[in-house]
Amino acid sequence: MGLIVQKYGGTSVADLDRIRHVANRVAKTFDKGNNVVVVLSAMAGITDGLLDMAGRITASAEKRELDVLLATGEQTTAALLAITLKSMNYSAKSLMGYQAEVLTNRDFGNARIVDIGAGRIKKLVKKNNIVIVAGFQGCDSDGNITTLGRGGSDTSAVAIATAIKADVCEIYTDVDGIYTADPNICKKARKLDKISYDEMLEMSSLGAKVLQIRSVEFAKKYNVPVHVRSSFSEKEGTMVVNENVEMEHLVVSGITCNKNEARITLKKVPDQPGIAAKIFSPLAGSGILVDMIIQNTRASGLTDLTFTVAKTDYNRALEISKKVAEEIKAEEVLSAENIAKISVTGVGMKSHSGVAAKMFSTLANENINIRLISTSEIRISCVIKEKYSELAVRVLHSAFGLDKE
Ligand code: ASP
Ligand code: MG
């Protein structure tokens, strides 16, 4: 018996049959004596469809109106689930973001949750209602509807779980948990029983798209246990928890691959104070996020500066780099889009040496050249040619002992 938040993603509520399936699952949890608060996404594809419709009117729709539009996706599923549960004789009530008191800032399209009142949710729960909250949406202090950024219903769910002090936040999705690698790339990948918030944060930012990264930040900050599991099976998924919870003792718990970055090199840049600022300030000014940065010094007072940016920012970043290169008299600008960033992640790295050496020698054994390297306390990333990315994931997966029997 407990208080459980269940969040169902777009594929889990994609049509009326699936909504009925979700209703059965919610009802079963409720019948076991739990209180249940459900947070929903829009039906799969609906948010994209709505955006597309607005785009056919104008490429510059006002963000405020876009949020009013996008919020209808979650309004629809919340109402449909409430109607379904009521038709099964359960007392259920749907709430939109503003009714659930999800207060955000005014950053339309990418709003941050400032506070969740949760009074109304708690009251309804107390009266034994199944409460269904539209995910992804909130409102600002003037009552304008806001949305939390793509994939934001994960964050809604964790935030609501925090506000009502739920025992667990279950995230139902179309995969049955977090894997040691993408099973589509690596047949020997296996599901992890547990993963720490920090590992999940690294892996989310590296492109494992199971959870919106902000939801993990939220869960970590407030220590909310998150259970990632499939709505299509009864099997236990993966618990995302505090590092101190007993874990499998893996040094490395996941191998990820990100093909969404591109590399830019400014060659033979004068090795002087202020040069890096000259290069990176205009990039930052244009809202371009730089990921890896490597500088290597040549003998002659010159240096090469290499960095990576998201592929979506590549053209703009290249243009800016070429302009700066001219100003600072760099010899030339080189770039490549066909790269992949392969990363090994694990909290075990904090207490084990030799992870980097093993990663490099494993790649070397396959004759894979490493172009860039970056590290954090619990991650090592190497940029390689994109065409070797799948091979790299597989050989690293075996080298670090992650292959299932
Ligand atoms: N419906 C929104 C999206 O597609 C939010 C979500 O599903 O989490 O991004
Ligand atoms: Mg999602």
Side-chain angles (χ1 to χ4, degrees):
M1 283 214 322
L3 176 55
I4 301 178
V5 171
Q6 297 190 332
K7 181 256 164 177
Y8 292 90
T11 46
S12 305
V13 292
D15 55 41
L16 291 181
D17 275 341
R18 293 202 178 159
I19 289 179
R20 201 167 301 120
H21 177 77
V22 166
N24 285 327
R25 191 136 197 172
V26 171
K28 207 164 127 194
T29 311
F30 184 81
D31 288 342
K32 283 185 190 151
N34 299 295
N35 282 119
V36 190
V37 174
V38 184
V39 177
L40 294 182
S41 284
M43 292 178 173
I46 289 294
T47 309
D48 286 331
L50 291 168
L51 272 174
D52 186 59
M53 246 198 278
R56 274 185 272 148
I57 305 170
T58 167
S60 54
E62 202 182 303
K63 284 186 164 176
R64 180 189 181 280
E65 303 311 326
L66 280 177
D67 277 1
V68 175
L69 178 67
L70 294 190
T72 61
E74 275 72 12
Q75 175 156 353
T76 306
T77 46
L80 288 173
L81 181 64
I83 292 168
T84 309
L85 279 164
K86 283 190 178 179
S87 74
M88 295 159 60
N89 287 323
Y90 287 86
S91 54
K93 195 154 238 122
S94 64
L95 297 177
M96 300 301 96
Y98 72 92
Q99 295 169 320
E101 300 159 59
V102 180
L103 184 68
T104 72
N105 66 9
R106 197 160 305 163
D107 190 4
F108 294 114
N110 199 25
R112 282 184 176 267
I113 295 175
V114 178
D115 185 43
I116 297 193
R120 188 152 173 195
I121 300 180
K122 282 190 203 157
K123 221 180 265 169
L124 288 166
V125 164
K126 214 171 197 174
K127 288 189 186 145
N128 265 323
N129 288 287
I130 296 171
V131 182
I132 301 151
V133 184
F136 179 52
Q137 52 172 272
C139 71
D140 70 8
S141 53
D142 284 339
N144 294 301
I145 293 175
T146 54
T147 66
L148 309 181
R150 297 308 302 272
S153 52
D154 294 334
T155 302
S156 306
V158 175
I160 287 167
T162 306
I164 63 174
K165 300 197 169 64
D167 298 301
V168 61
C169 180
E170 299 182 333
I171 305 273
Y172 286 89
T173 173
D174 50 2
V175 295
D176 55 10
I178 310 295
Y179 277 72
T180 49
D182 180 347
N184 296 316
I185 295 178
C186 180
K187 293 274 168 304
K188 292 177 178 160
R190 57 193 176 83
K191 195 178 73 191
L192 292 160
D193 293 335
K194 282 186 191 140
I195 186 169
S196 72
Y197 297 126
D198 285 326
E199 288 170 323
M200 197 61 228
L201 279 173
E202 291 279 3
M203 281 161 61
S204 304
S205 65
L206 297 169
K209 285 206 187 57
V210 186
L211 289 174
Q212 195 198 35
I213 191 157
R214 267 198 221 164
S215 70
V216 188
E217 288 166 0
F218 222 104
K220 180 184 171 187
K221 188 162 168 196
Y222 297 102
N223 207 4
V224 185
V226 174
H227 187 176
V228 178
R229 57 193 307 185
S230 166
S231 60
F232 304 105
S233 104
E234 294 291 328
K235 273 190 291 190
E236 298 274 309
T238 302
M239 289 299 298
V240 189
V241 289
N242 195 295
E243 195 179 305
N244 301 325
V245 173
E246 184 68 24
M247 302 256 185
E248 279 182 83
H249 290 285
L250 298 172
V251 177
V252 165
S253 50
I255 317 287
T256 43
C257 165
N258 181 350
K259 295 185 187 173
N260 295 323
E261 288 186 16
R263 172 178 64 83
I264 295 177
T265 301
L266 279 76
K267 250 182 87 180
K268 293 197 184 167
V269 172
D271 195 2
Q272 289 160 8
I275 289 291
K278 282 216 172 90
I279 297 170
F280 294 109
S281 304
L283 290 169
S286 307
I288 296 173
L289 285 179
V290 172
D291 180 26
M292 299 165 107
I293 302 176
I294 310 283
Q295 174 175 338
N296 33 3
T297 304
R298 295 166 172 262
S300 48
L302 294 170
T303 165
D304 293 341
L305 238 158
T306 301
F307 57 92
T308 64
V309 294
K311 277 202 171 114
T312 46
D313 290 333
Y314 172 66
N315 287 326
R316 280 195 307 142
L318 192 57
E319 205 178 297
I320 293 171
S321 303
K322 284 184 174 160
K323 236 166 85 196
V324 176
E326 226 169 89
E327 277 167 35
I328 61 173
K329 303 199 164 47
E331 186 185 82
E332 65 174 322
V333 178
L334 304 172
S335 61
E337 273 192 283
N338 56 345
I339 59 165
K341 181 168 86 173
I342 307 294
S343 306
V344 307
T345 304
V347 286
M349 268 181 222
K350 287 187 194 171
S351 51
H352 283 77
S353 59
V355 175
K358 189 172 198 168
M359 180 173 192
F360 304 153
S361 57
T362 305
L363 294 174
N365 285 342
E366 300 296 327
N367 254 322
I368 298 173
N369 195 23
I370 301 169
R371 309 299 301 267
L372 297 170
I373 301 165
S374 78
T375 62
S376 81
E377 207 180 11
I378 62 165
R379 171 186 53 78
I380 302 165
S381 301
C382 294
V383 167
I384 62 172
K385 277 208 175 119
E386 184 174 349
K387 65 177 175 189
Y388 300 125
S389 61
E390 302 196 349
L391 172 65
V393 169
R394 286 193 287 266
V395 294
L396 290 168
H397 197 268
S398 331
F400 285 103
L402 295 175
D403 286 357
K404 69 179 171 205
E405 303 78 50

